[in-house]
Amino acid sequence: MLLHRFFRHNLTTRLIIALGGILFLSMLLWIFVFASFYPGFSLYPDLIRIFLIGICILIPAVILSGMLFYKWIADPVSRLSDIAGMLVDGNKIDQAPLNSKDELGFLGEQLLRIEETMAARQRFLKKEYDEYQNLFDLVPCLISVQDRNLRLIRYNKEFAEKFAPEPGDFCYSVYKGRTEKCEHCPVEKTFQDGQSHSFEEAGYNRDGEPIRWVARTAPIRDKKGRVVAAVEMSLDVTLRHQLAEKLKASESRYQAIFSNIPNPVFVLDPKNLTILDCNESVGPVYGFSREDLKGRSFLEFFEAGEREHYALKIKDGAFIHQARHFNHEGRLLFVDIRASHTLYSDWEVLLVTTSDITQQLETEQQLIQASKMTTLGEMATGIAHELNQPLSVMKTASSFMLKKFETDQAVRPEVMATMLEKIDANVDRATNIIQHMRAFAHKSDLDLSLVDINDVLKMASDIFVAQLKLRGIDVLWEIEENLPRVRGNPSRLEQVFINLLINARDAIEDRWGDKSTDSANRSITLTTRTERGCVVAEVCDTGTGIPDAIMGKIFEPFFTTKTVGKGTGLGLSISYGIIRDCGGTIAAANRKSGGACFRLDFPVPADKGTGEPGQSQNNLASTT
């Protein structure tokens, strides 16, 4: 058998045998021909001699032919065969190429070129494979390849780290720890219909923690188009799901807070101020349900003439103080409005809150009125002195006329006319004083109008100057005439100036008492002027001044430095609120020469109307 295989596969041996046979037959043919043409030829001795000579010639010839054949043909073919085997096995050729220039050498060179081409192709394919494998492992999702039995064939690195599977494990066992396949398996559907399917699932990772993923399947087909495997790509959405749950909980908390804020809150369309949503607090304040208000304009709460003005302020996000609203029953409400632009369910909206301050204003009105009554009590002595003068004149004139009538003395007409004129003038004077008191004591409304600060200051001085004279305090005037009008309430501003005059009087008396009668030491200076677009009014005294330690507290409610029973601590606090409601500011400072000075600034309005819509009655404050 081995000999058969050797002779079958050794080209040189086969060639030597073939060549020897041919030569041997040729030799026999030559002997036969020679014997035929030469009758004297002796078969046995000559034949043996010729045969031996032929053998001697044949053997070297065959050996030489075999050696040449091996060198020129068999060995190159064997080397080419080895090279071809290396190419088939995918190994690198480690033999030198043939040096011959014949066809076998050319074939060797071609095999080497084939080897270089295949090597380059293999390097390219390896690079592509490495890139694919790298992408397969590093793609930020879970990838697995499954067969028809739902067993894992391959999976990427993230899948392995997440579930720690073994090749051949069932997908449902790895994903969910189940012992049987899922009732609705998308991979099985892909094998059935050859289509892709998407789904969302929940399971547990290798540490037993719950996870969620969104998956999509795709078929893998062979050359005949048959589905032989399925790819399942899953994206871990656990964090997104957790964030969604937290967002949902946060939205629930926000909605609970939104619905239970004690003040009404409105979500408005920033373009037309339509109510998109509101909280439950609108019911107790406005008398409407949430469903009743959705789709309606927020401006319907205002009077028709004020809506355009307020629309601009709300869209600008301005703070509106003491706006007038009307509830479901038509009852007037005073509210503070705050508006701001924000996002609501990914929409830009206006978030508007309103605070019902109606009861607060009523309380403030009561405090202001109580302060007025306290001020009237403070001025009782001065008022009595003011009324005593006209009454004394009227008493003197009437007594003179009665004596004349009792003694039947004639009264000249011109004397009678003079007496009656004095009585009439003093009656008017007393009437004016009483009417001034009644007007001051009257409960003022919330309306603002354009007023002259000089007129208000003079009214306050008229009602108080007599009392100051009785106490030896002079009033000095430094008035700028023709001041621009400012927005304010005359009655309330008069109360402010009277409060400041009372404080100045008390400060002067606390400092000087009966020590000095010099008017320079016992004086109050009233100053008005225009400055930087404002009307400035100052009330300065020569009293004790304000200690630095309490300078920041003097406008706080119920704060007073006066003795018990002499002050309520509300005068400056109420004055501060009134000036603020007029859009102005009030501040205090000490004078270098001694005493205090209160400065009031009122902005001059740009327009000359009687009041900005809504502000004349409801927007009583803008800044302080």
Side-chain angles (χ1 to χ4, degrees):
M1 183 62 113
L2 291 175
L3 185 61
H4 171 72
R5 185 175 297 175
F6 174 78
F7 284 116
R8 182 179 178 183
H9 295 287
N10 194 307
L11 182 61
T12 303
T13 303
R14 292 165 62 189
L15 180 61
I16 290 173
I17 294 173
L19 182 60
I22 293 172
L23 291 176
F24 181 75
L25 291 176
S26 297
M27 184 182 67
L28 292 178
L29 180 61
W30 179 78
I31 293 173
F32 176 76
V33 171
F34 188 83
S36 298
F37 286 94
Y38 295 95
F41 180 76
S42 178
L43 180 62
Y44 292 103
D46 292 337
L47 177 61
I48 292 173
R49 187 172 54 252
I50 292 173
F51 180 76
L52 292 175
I53 294 172
I55 291 298
C56 292
I57 296 172
L58 177 62
I59 291 175
V62 170
I63 292 173
L64 179 62
S65 298
M67 293 175 62
L68 293 176
F69 181 82
Y70 176 78
K71 179 178 180 181
W72 292 338
I73 296 177
D75 183 59
V77 170
S78 176
R79 291 172 61 186
L80 292 177
S81 177
D82 293 340
I83 292 174
M86 293 179 185
L87 292 178
V88 172
D89 295 337
N91 298 324
K92 181 177 178 62
I93 297 177
D94 56 1
Q95 296 186 15
L98 303 178
N99 295 324
S100 61
K101 303 297 183 181
D102 56 7
E103 289 80 358
L104 291 177
F106 178 75
L107 179 60
E109 292 178 358
Q110 294 300 318
L111 289 176
L112 289 177
R113 291 180 183 176
I114 291 174
E115 187 271 340
E116 292 176 356
T117 303
M118 291 181 64
R121 184 63 178 172
Q122 285 180 343
R123 288 194 298 270
F124 175 77
L125 291 176
K126 187 177 186 305
K127 180 181 178 182
E128 291 287 319
Y129 175 82
D130 291 341
E131 289 179 355
Y132 160 77
Q133 188 65 38
N134 188 50
L135 290 175
F136 183 74
D137 285 334
L138 297 180
V139 67
C141 64
L142 308 173
I143 302 179
S144 64
V145 181
Q146 305 168 24
D147 61 16
R148 285 187 174 273
N149 296 322
L150 308 181
R151 290 183 180 273
L152 298 178
I153 301 174
R154 292 190 63 189
Y155 40 81
N156 68 344
K157 183 178 179 181
E158 184 164 340
F159 188 95
E161 292 177 350
K162 183 74 69 174
F163 299 105
E166 293 291 339
D169 286 348
F170 290 103
C171 65
Y172 49 81
S173 175
V174 173
Y175 274 120
K176 302 179 181 179
R178 296 170 61 98
T179 57
E180 57 184 13
K181 68 178 182 179
C182 304
E183 183 177 356
H184 302 286
C185 179
V187 176
E188 192 173 50
K189 291 181 180 179
T190 297
F191 277 109
Q192 292 173 355
D193 57 19
Q195 303 294 322
S196 294
H197 296 277
S198 300
F199 63 98
E200 183 172 347
E201 287 285 356
Y204 297 90
N205 63 10
R206 62 193 301 175
D207 298 323
E209 299 172 346
I211 62 171
R212 295 185 70 90
W213 63 90
V214 176
R216 184 177 181 86
T217 62
I220 298 178
R221 302 177 184 273
D222 59 10
K223 294 181 179 180
K224 296 182 179 180
R226 295 173 298 187
V227 178
V228 295
V231 177
E232 183 176 2
M233 294 173 289
S234 304
L235 181 64
D236 189 347
V237 294
T238 305
L239 180 59
R240 187 182 72 178
H241 179 74
Q242 292 173 349
L243 292 176
E245 290 295 323
K246 290 180 180 179
L247 178 61
K248 184 178 179 180
S250 176
E251 289 179 347
S252 298
R253 289 194 299 270
Y254 158 76
Q255 190 63 39
I257 294 172
F258 176 79
S259 298
N260 293 286
I261 292 176
N263 289 338
V265 182
F266 300 88
V267 180
L268 307 183
D269 186 325
K271 296 180 179 179
N272 53 25
L273 303 185
T274 298
I275 299 174
L276 304 176
D277 197 5
C278 58
N279 66 351
E280 298 294 342
S281 297
V282 299
V285 176
Y286 291 96
F288 292 96
S289 67
R290 294 178 66 178
E291 298 303 322
D292 290 338
L293 289 177
K294 288 182 180 180
R296 299 178 63 173
S297 175
F298 182 73
L299 298 177
E300 294 182 17
F301 290 122
F302 299 95
E303 285 188 336
E306 301 175 350
R307 293 174 182 174
E308 183 177 353
H309 164 74
Y310 279 120
L312 296 175
K313 283 185 168 291
I314 293 172
K315 289 180 180 179
D316 290 340
F319 169 69
I320 304 173
H321 181 53
Q322 291 182 209
R324 293 200 309 172
H325 273 186
F326 294 89
N327 66 6
H328 185 264
E329 299 175 351
R331 185 171 67 88
L332 176 63
L333 303 174
F334 286 94
V335 297
D336 286 344
I337 301 175
R338 294 173 175 82
S340 61
H341 291 268
T342 186
L343 291 177
Y344 180 80
S345 298
D346 296 331
W347 292 87
E348 184 179 353
V349 298
L350 269 172
L351 192 64
V352 176
T353 60
T354 63
S355 303
D356 184 4
I357 59 172
T358 307
Q359 186 174 0
Q360 174 187 338
L361 291 180
E362 292 175 353
T363 303
E364 289 179 359
Q365 283 282 80
Q366 294 172 1
L367 288 175
I368 292 173
Q369 194 64 21
S371 178
K372 284 185 177 183
M373 296 301 101
T374 302
T375 303
L376 287 176
E378 290 276 347
M379 299 186 301
T381 304
I383 295 171
H385 180 74
E386 281 291 303
L387 287 174
N388 188 54
Q389 287 185 349
L391 289 175
S392 296
V393 173
M394 288 186 288
K395 178 65 175 177
T396 301
S398 61
S399 297
F400 174 78
M401 297 295 296
L402 285 174
K403 287 181 180 181
K404 291 294 184 180
F405 289 140
E406 289 175 356
T407 58
D408 291 329
Q409 296 181 14
V411 180
R412 296 193 304 272
E414 61 274 15
V415 175
M416 178 68 74
T418 300
M419 293 297 176
L420 292 176
E421 287 176 358
K422 287 185 176 293
I423 293 173
D424 183 69
N426 282 277
V427 167
D428 289 341
R429 181 181 175 185
T431 302
N432 289 336
I433 293 173
I434 294 172
Q435 288 179 346
H436 194 173
M437 292 299 99
R438 291 180 59 188
F440 180 77
H442 180 70
K443 187 177 181 180
S444 59
D445 54 26
L446 303 178
D447 291 348
L448 295 183
S449 60
L450 293 179
V451 299
D452 188 331
I453 291 297
N454 285 342
D455 292 342
V456 177
L457 195 56
K458 290 175 181 178
M459 290 174 60
S461 175
D462 288 344
I463 201 174
F464 203 67
V465 70
Q467 182 178 150
L468 295 176
K469 288 181 180 179
L470 288 175
R471 297 172 183 254
I473 299 174
D474 290 340
V475 178
L476 307 178
W477 293 84
E478 297 178 1
I479 299 297
E480 179 181 322
E481 299 295 338
N482 301 319
L483 289 176
R485 291 177 176 270
V486 297
R487 288 192 177 92
N489 184 288
S491 176
R492 292 191 172 189
L493 288 177
E494 182 182 0
Q495 181 180 357
V496 171
F497 287 121
I498 290 176
N499 287 339
L500 296 179
L501 289 171
I502 291 175
N503 288 340
R505 177 204 68 188
D506 294 341
I508 291 173
E509 291 187 341
D510 288 344
R511 180 181 182 184
W512 300 106
D514 298 331
K515 297 178 183 179
S516 174
T517 58
D518 187 355
S519 60
N521 294 332
R522 302 172 66 88
S523 64
I524 298 174
T525 303
L526 304 179
T527 305
T528 61
R529 63 181 181 275
T530 55
E531 184 179 301
R532 297 178 181 178
C534 291
V535 172
V536 179
E538 291 180 341
V539 179
C540 302
D541 61 62
T542 58
T544 57
I546 305 171
D548 293 337
I550 65 170
M551 182 67 77
K553 301 179 180 180
I554 60 175
F555 294 108
E556 295 179 2
F558 304 107
F559 179 82
T560 181
T561 58
K562 297 178 181 179
T563 59
V564 177
K566 193 174 181 181
T568 62
L570 291 174
L572 287 179
S573 175
I574 291 174
S575 298
Y576 179 89
I578 292 173
I579 298 302
R580 179 199 61 192
D581 291 346
C582 295
T585 61
I586 180 172
N590 288 318
R591 305 172 70 183
K592 293 182 180 180
S593 58
C597 187
F598 284 83
R599 171 174 170 142
L600 290 71
D601 288 71
F602 300 91
V604 178
D607 61 312
K608 301 300 181 182
T610 58
E612 193 175 342
Q615 190 172 13
S616 63
Q617 294 182 338
N618 42 49
N619 188 19
L620 298 183
S622 57
T623 72
T624 58

